[in-house]
Amino acid sequence: MFIGREEERILREGGYLAKALETIIKVGDAVKADRLLDVDTVHVSGVSYLTIGEAGLEYLRDISSSGARFRVFTTVNPAGVEYGNLNLPISEHFMRKQMEVVDYLAKMGASLWLTCAPYEFIRPQPGSIHAWGESNAVAYINSVNDAYTEKLPGPFTIIVAIAGKVPRFGLYVEENRVPRVIVKVNARLNPVKAGLLGRVIAGKLKGEVPLVDYDGWDRQLLKSFLASYATYSPTPLAIIKGINPNWSRYAAMMDKPDKLTVDEPELRYEQPRDYDALFMGCPHASLEEIMTVVRVLEKHGFRRLRKPLVISTSRFVRGMMNPELVSRLREANVILITDTCPMVSPIFNGLGIRSTATPSSKAMFYLPRLVNVNAMPCSIEDCLEGVLNNT
């Protein structure tokens, strides 16, 4: 792998920066990268104490105590608790350990956004280089912005943030981003079906990049589709016709692509009847998504839900909401949480939630595996109507 003058200087000078760069070079050699790329932003996954445990905490403690600091703008994924909220049903031990994780990241220079949807606030330019670890976020900026990132392991994103460089391999290489299969979608999508579409397409392919042909995308559908697709596919990129700014150029580079169709029957689902709570916010809910809930509640006079609705979102979105609206949602049995996500937190277990209905295919995959909570497909608007009409 080619090593430039700047890299040679860093290696000569030694210290934590040289150690980080040495690690990146070794990884680059292992993946047969030809050179290193300068990184614009980093997004660190693996921030919850629930998922990284004591070994991950020790890793962060060791790196931060070495004096290592991030050289590029770095954001972080949701933690296992809501920052500053001591009323959540989470043990003091867990909260203390989680705060230690976050403190080490802050010490190294991370911006504590604590969201899995940084693309709601960062709009990368086509062709810009990033090092992100959260699968839905990786798929989103690859597919929607045509920014370049691979899905990188959480510990490695920390090393990249220190060195500011990443090996050029995989989806950092334009030739590897060219679609091999055209997928025609013959269905009318809602957020649930968009998530199911991601799972279906990933299941039909063997890791090839698809060119997805569908009219009628909006931001919510894209989030749902790409979060699901990145969960079930090893390749976090789908070239979306009419959405990716360079989709026509990618299409022109295709050589005798295979063709597939996804029809309406493949995306059918049944509204669940028996569950403990509704959940939305995987990925973190936008203000627009939360307002869809508000509109349904307003239609019914903000009556209190007999089953709670848990919404996970970012602190930025909550900050845009009128405090009076937040209070009305709380009174209506809507639990609004920020900085965290039930996938990486013991909050559902603490609330006694054993089953949930959700529009998120990603949540349906991870909730049973990570926190032993059953999850089933549900249109939030339809389920809210069902709950309110039976109140």
Side-chain angles (χ1 to χ4, degrees), residues 77-99:
N77 235 25
V81 300
E82 182 174 3
Y83 226 61
N85 187 350
L86 301 179
N87 297 317
L88 291 177
I90 295 174
S91 73
E92 182 180 347
H93 170 79
F94 185 91
M95 283 193 176
R96 179 167 49 82
K97 292 291 187 177
Q98 181 62 76
M99 289 302 100

Side-chain angles (χ1 to χ4, degrees), residues 45-46 48 50-51 77-78 116 133-139 151-154 195 199 202 223-236 279 281-284 312 341-346 348-349 353-356 358-377:
S45 60
S48 171
L50 182 72
T51 56
N77 235 25
C116 58
E134 160 58 41
S135 62
N136 100 84
V138 169
K151 184 184 182 302
L152 302 175
R199 186 175 69 184
K223 282 178 65 176
S224 183
F225 166 66
L226 291 167
S228 175
Y229 181 73
T231 298
Y232 292 94
S233 172
T235 306
F279 167 63
C282 179
H284 270 175
S312 57
C341 169
M343 256 57 61
V344 294
S345 170
F348 270 8
N349 293 326
I353 296 172
R354 295 291 177 264
S355 62
T356 185
T358 178
S360 170
S361 287
K362 180 176 182 178
M364 284 184 264
F365 179 87
Y366 281 112
L367 280 172
R369 290 165 172 81
L370 295 181
V371 294
N372 197 31
V373 172
N374 185 36
M376 56 206 80

Side-chain angles (χ1 to χ4, degrees), residues 143-196:
S143 306
V144 175
N145 301 92
D146 200 35
Y148 283 29
T149 181
E150 265 288 348
K151 184 184 182 302
L152 302 175
F156 188 61
T157 59
I158 291 172
I159 300 299
V160 172
I162 294 169
K165 296 179 183 294
V166 69
R168 182 179 178 269
F169 75 105
L171 294 178
Y172 291 112
V173 181
E174 185 181 59
E175 290 77 9
N176 295 333
R177 301 172 69 87
V178 178
R180 306 297 176 192
V181 182
I182 298 174
V183 180
K184 175 65 176 176
V185 181
N186 297 318
R188 184 174 180 179
L189 300 181
N190 63 17
V192 182
K193 290 183 179 180
L196 296 175

Side-chain angles (χ1 to χ4, degrees), residues 295-338:
R295 284 190 286 270
V296 175
L297 292 174
E298 283 180 336
K299 175 182 173 183
H300 292 269
F302 261 89
R303 292 209 313 272
R304 183 175 175 83
L305 299 170
R306 60 184 176 83
K307 292 183 179 182
L309 166 60
V310 179
I311 302 177
S312 57
T313 187
S314 72
R315 57 178 60 185
F316 304 111
V317 168
R318 178 163 181 160
M320 290 187 285
M321 298 175 65
N322 188 309
E324 182 180 344
L325 176 59
V326 174
S327 178
R328 292 189 73 190
L329 288 171
R330 188 184 307 115
E331 293 171 359
N333 206 13
V334 177
I335 303 171
L336 193 66
I337 55 175
T338 64

